[in-house]
């Protein structure tokens, strides 16, 4: 039996940090409101000439180095992003070119904040069925580009960044199972209401930005993610007490705390980056994972749950053994 294992991770955050205090000067908001309602203190914002593929490349090179692999050994490139550099080619093709490799499949996955879980699920299934031996999977976003910086209910919540993993075929299990869901009937609760096909009519109306009905999204996220973490435990016959770490999507500290409670897990066993990163959408799970691997919290042989929830709605959970 072929298994899929994460053999290296990397991440990158743009240099510029935007604090809540700075936002106080730009909007009708307070440092305290943002921190108490979301858990965010600051976020990173890409420089004007810095794009999603730039962030993705830095994270990808760090993951390759960690895995002891060269770009030439990569046989699949999957990038999760909502903020691609171009309409096409995909950011995965741009990244493949940056890495100086050709020939292997490269494509983007779009599931907004659940994008990395979706992309990792694809890679996991490729490897399990013999379609890849060494895959590069990246979550990268310049979400600041699709925010209305006059809308205090959304712009204070998001940030830019990238996280990457190398996933390889192995004889021991790494990714134990993966469970994805979507429900398009919630398409209007969290969205950018125009796209390439509709933009010609509406671009001028200033609709190219993220809109969210925060309270409703919050309620659904807590329910769907709570069910998703129980689903992944039950699918593997694993007890709550066997989980070493929760690496959650970082949308709101109160959502993260609610999911930790569903797992009877102390917050000491939850990787939290939202205070410093904000919500980096598809980049949040691999960024958090990489941080905890690098600072030694996540160790070999541990059981970890990944979960994420995003626009669509899309959501999912995975059980990983490091
Ligand atoms: O990653 C994808 C998934 N995303 C999520 O899961 C996000 C889910 N939603 C949330 O995290 C929360 O709902 C928010 C952080 C977005 C908002 O927190 P809330 O506790 O649900 O606040 P609210 O939307 O009910 O707003 C409360 C009040 C409102 O004023 P009124 O109507 O009560 O007078 C807002 O206008 O806070 C006001 N408000 C703000 N005040 C200061 C909204 N944004 C701000 C702000 N600063 N930035």
């Amino acid at each position: 039996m072929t298994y899929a294992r994460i053999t290296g991770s990397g991440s990158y955050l743009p240099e510029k940090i935007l604090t809540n205090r700075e936002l106080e000067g730009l909007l009708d908001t307070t440092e305290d409101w943002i921190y108490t309602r979301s858990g965010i203190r600051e976020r990173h914002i890409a420089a004007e000439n810095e794009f999603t593929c730039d962030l993705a490349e830095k994270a990808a090179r760090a993951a390759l180095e960690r895995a002891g692999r060269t770009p030439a050994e990569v046989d699949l490139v999957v990038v999760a992003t909502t903020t691609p550099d171009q309409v096409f080619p995909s950011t995965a093709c741009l990244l493949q070119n940056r890495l100086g490799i050709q020939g292997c499949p490269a494509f983007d996955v779009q599931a907004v904040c659940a994008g990395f879980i979706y992309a990792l699920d694809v890679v996991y299934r490729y490897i399990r069925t013999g379609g890849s031996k060494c895959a590069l999977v990246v979550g990268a976003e310049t979400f600041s580009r699709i925010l209305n910086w006059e809308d205090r209910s959304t712009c204070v919540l998001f940030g830019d960044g990238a996280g990457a993993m190398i996933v390889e075929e192995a004889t021991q299990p790494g990714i134990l199972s993966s469970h994805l869901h979507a429900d398009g009937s919630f398409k209007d609760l969290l969205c950018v209401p125009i796209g390439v096909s509709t933009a010609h009519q509406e671009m001028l109306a200033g609709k190219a930005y993220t809109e969210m009905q925060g309270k409703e999204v919050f309620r659904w996220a807590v329910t769907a993610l709570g069910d998703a973490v129980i689903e992944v435990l039950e699918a593997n016959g694993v007890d709550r007490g066997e989980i070493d770490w929760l690496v959650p999507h970082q949308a709101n500290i109160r959502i993260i705390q609610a999911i930790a409670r569903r797992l009877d897990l102390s917050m000491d066993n939850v990787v939290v980056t939202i205070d410093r990163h904000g919500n980096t959408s598809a980049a949040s799970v691999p960024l958090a994972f990489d941080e905890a691997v690098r600072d030694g919290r996540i160790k070999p042989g541990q059981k970890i749950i990944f979960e994420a929830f995003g626009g669509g709605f899309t959501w999912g959970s995975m059980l990983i053994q490091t």
Side-chain angles (χ1 to χ4, degrees), residues 29 33 37 113 152-153 214-215 249 251-252 254-255 279 309:
T29 192
W33 189 97
R37 300 293 177 117
C113 297
R152 66 177 185 173
S153 70
K215 255 195 192 334
H249 173 49
N252 188 312
R254 292 180 289 138
I255 298 176
N279 180 350
F309 183 91

Side-chain angles (χ1 to χ4, degrees), residues 27-30 33-34 37-38 112-114 151-154 156-158 190 212-219 221-222 249-255 279 281 309-311:
L27 293 159
D28 179 17
T29 192
T30 62
W33 189 97
I34 301 171
R37 300 293 177 117
S38 70
V112 207
C113 297
D151 176 7
R152 66 177 185 173
S153 70
T154 52
V156 303
L157 301 173
F158 294 90
L190 174 53
M212 176 164 70
Q213 295 180 36
K215 255 195 192 334
E216 285 285 283
V217 175
F218 186 101
R219 199 161 59 81
V222 168
H249 173 49
Q250 315 275 326
N252 188 312
I253 191 68
R254 292 180 289 138
I255 298 176
N279 180 350
S281 184
F309 183 91

Side-chain angles (χ1 to χ4, degrees), residues 32-52:
D32 184 58
W33 189 97
I34 301 171
Y35 183 65
T36 347
R37 300 293 177 117
S38 70
I40 300 166
R41 288 197 188 281
E42 59 190 34
R43 70 287 293 142
H44 292 249
I45 302 292
E48 223 167 275
N49 59 352
E50 196 173 34
F51 305 114
T52 295

Side-chain angles (χ1 to χ4, degrees), residues 177 179 226-240 262-263 305 317 319:
S177 79
H179 308 266
D227 292 347
V229 295
I230 301 305
E231 179 182 21
V232 79
L233 288 180
E234 287 179 356
N236 292 280
V238 167
D239 288 333
R240 288 173 170 82
R262 279 293 290 270
L263 288 168
I305 290 183
S317 57
L319 183 65

Side-chain angles (χ1 to χ4, degrees), residues 174-211:
I175 299 172
L176 295 168
S177 79
S178 171
H179 308 266
L180 301 185
H181 300 279
D183 186 341
S185 66
F186 295 105
K187 64 185 176 55
D188 298 325
L189 291 187
L190 174 53
C191 63
V192 173
I194 63 161
V196 179
S197 178
T198 51
H200 66 287
Q201 294 160 352
E202 302 200 46
M203 190 64 95
L204 295 174
K207 289 188 175 171
Y209 301 119
T210 301
E211 296 177 359

